[in-house]
Amino acid sequence: MKMISYKKCALFLMCVVYMNIGFGQNSILSLEQIQEIVQQNYPLVKGKDLLREQSGLSVENLKTAFLPQLYANGKMSYQSDVTSSPLAGPNSFGAPKEQISLNLDVEQLIYNGGRIKSQVKLEQLSAELEVIDLEVRMYELRERVNDAYFSILLLRQSKQVLEEKRKSIAARLQQVQSAVKNGVMPAFNSKVLESELLLIQQQEKEIEFAERTSLESLAELMNRIEKFDIEAIGVKEEIGQFKLGNELSEERPEYKLFEGQNLLLDEKMEITRKDRLPVISAFGQLGYGQPGYNQLNDDFDSYYMLGAKLSWNIFDWKSSKRNQRKYQLQKEIVSTQRSSFQKNQMVELRTEVNNISKFKILLEQDDAIVCLQEEVTKTSSSQLDNGVITSSDYLEDLNKEIQAKLNREYHQIQLSQSIAEYKRILGKTEIR
């Protein structure tokens, strides 16, 4: 029994330790995952459901026009004169000067040319257009995510190269300090290297704070509180797999917005046309009062009325035609906006295509530059050991090597960013 208890305790402790390790670790996210989280958790997303719910309520209100409309009303009045008999005496008659009436009026729409149906469709199109407008604004966040993500990658690459530089200078400093101590080399050589190490520490701190700022920006966009980290999975693989397309895609939500605006204007033109059609409705009235419909009877009486009515605006002074023309002009404006957006999209795509070609060429040259600069630095290191050159001369060559390596890594990341931007501009939401 004791052995079983020990096993249970051990298993429990293992679970606790495992859970603590799991909670202590930061989740690591790729660019594609970050984009997806932003699109799902940004506050604007909640607006879609709210807009659709609002539209549903408006549509239900519009549909009530098909239902009977009931109105209760009452009136009490006194008037100075009424219609009465010209005869005097007991045979005279006339309406009372005090009048009281309680009525229940009913109206039922029979025909209105399909206005209600068009108004319902117009409301639904308007709501969907607002939803698409939200999607356009959500899509714009992808550029901000790309900027923050690749900014972090560039900063980390800079930090890594600076770390390599710091190690090289620290190792060289030990040798120089030994030479200075033995009187083989002037003391200023060690001071130059020590100053450079302090400068590197300062640069690393700047990078650290810049990286933290970019990570916090991503966390804010993702509406995320818990810690996380990013990874470059798929970024380098994307370079080898990526192929430029030949056709302009219309997968951006802006194209859906232009199409929705045209449909909305078409429906407005349809409603304008239906406004010229007659409206037919039935009505009824049930009442009780003094007098009733017989004005010459001064007794309380009940009464009712049934009927139908027709309303038709025969001549509107060409107002309908002007509205039709107005909506047609708005459709032409939408067409020009669509063409302008397409033109800008082509310009942006061409820019990224040129950037992709540029970075590919630069990367081919970077390796050769790094190799040559490493040989130069190696020679400078040997010359410094032999006292042929000063620490400043050595640092100049080392900085050139570091800059060459930075350029290579920068071009690699910039190529990946250009590919991601190309896909974003084209409308491709997936990263791989």
Side-chain angles (χ1 to χ4, degrees), residues 181-239:
K181 187 176 181 180
N182 294 326
V184 178
M185 189 177 293
F188 81 88
N189 285 291
S190 64
K191 299 297 181 182
V192 170
L193 295 178
E194 289 172 3
S195 175
E196 189 68 19
L197 283 176
L198 290 175
L199 180 61
I200 290 174
Q201 290 178 5
Q202 187 181 57
Q203 291 171 340
E204 287 176 335
K205 283 296 180 183
E206 290 178 355
I207 290 174
E208 181 183 338
F209 281 101
E211 180 184 348
R212 185 187 304 174
T213 300
S214 295
L215 278 171
E216 289 174 354
S217 297
L218 279 181
E220 194 67 32
L221 290 172
M222 295 161 63
N223 198 24
R224 191 182 180 111
I225 300 175
E226 64 272 18
K227 291 184 178 181
F228 70 98
D229 201 358
I230 69 168
E231 62 181 355
I233 288 181
V235 172
K236 291 185 178 180
E237 290 83 349
E238 178 71 14
I239 294 175

Side-chain angles (χ1 to χ4, degrees), residues 68-90:
Q69 307 297 311
L70 300 177
Y71 305 95
N73 55 77
K75 184 179 72 172
M76 179 183 294
S77 66
Y78 177 85
Q79 55 194 69
S80 61
D81 200 5
V82 294
T83 303
S84 61
S85 169
L87 302 176

Side-chain angles (χ1 to χ4, degrees), residues 134-145:
L134 281 181
E135 291 176 356
V136 170
R137 285 189 276 168
M138 288 293 296
Y139 196 86
E140 292 173 352
L141 294 174
R142 293 182 176 276
E143 183 177 8
R144 293 173 62 185
V145 171

Side-chain angles (χ1 to χ4, degrees), residues 50-79:
L50 296 175
L51 284 171
R52 291 192 174 105
E53 183 179 356
Q54 173 186 298
S55 175
L57 295 173
S58 298
V59 167
E60 290 301 316
N61 283 339
L62 288 171
K63 288 180 178 179
T64 58
F66 291 113
L67 302 177
Q69 307 297 311
L70 300 177
Y71 305 95
N73 55 77
K75 184 179 72 172
M76 179 183 294
S77 66
Y78 177 85
Q79 55 194 69

Side-chain angles (χ1 to χ4, degrees), residues 78-125:
Y78 177 85
Q79 55 194 69
S80 61
D81 200 5
V82 294
T83 303
S84 61
S85 169
L87 302 176
N91 294 325
S92 65
F93 56 88
K97 293 184 177 181
E98 302 88 358
Q99 296 190 3
I100 301 173
S101 63
L102 294 172
N103 300 321
L104 178 65
D105 294 307
V106 182
E107 289 187 11
Q108 174 63 58
L109 178 66
I110 297 175
Y111 174 79
N112 73 342
R115 287 183 181 85
I116 304 300
K117 185 177 179 181
S118 290
Q119 287 171 352
V120 168
K121 187 175 180 181
L122 183 67
E123 174 59 37
Q124 292 171 338
L125 286 172

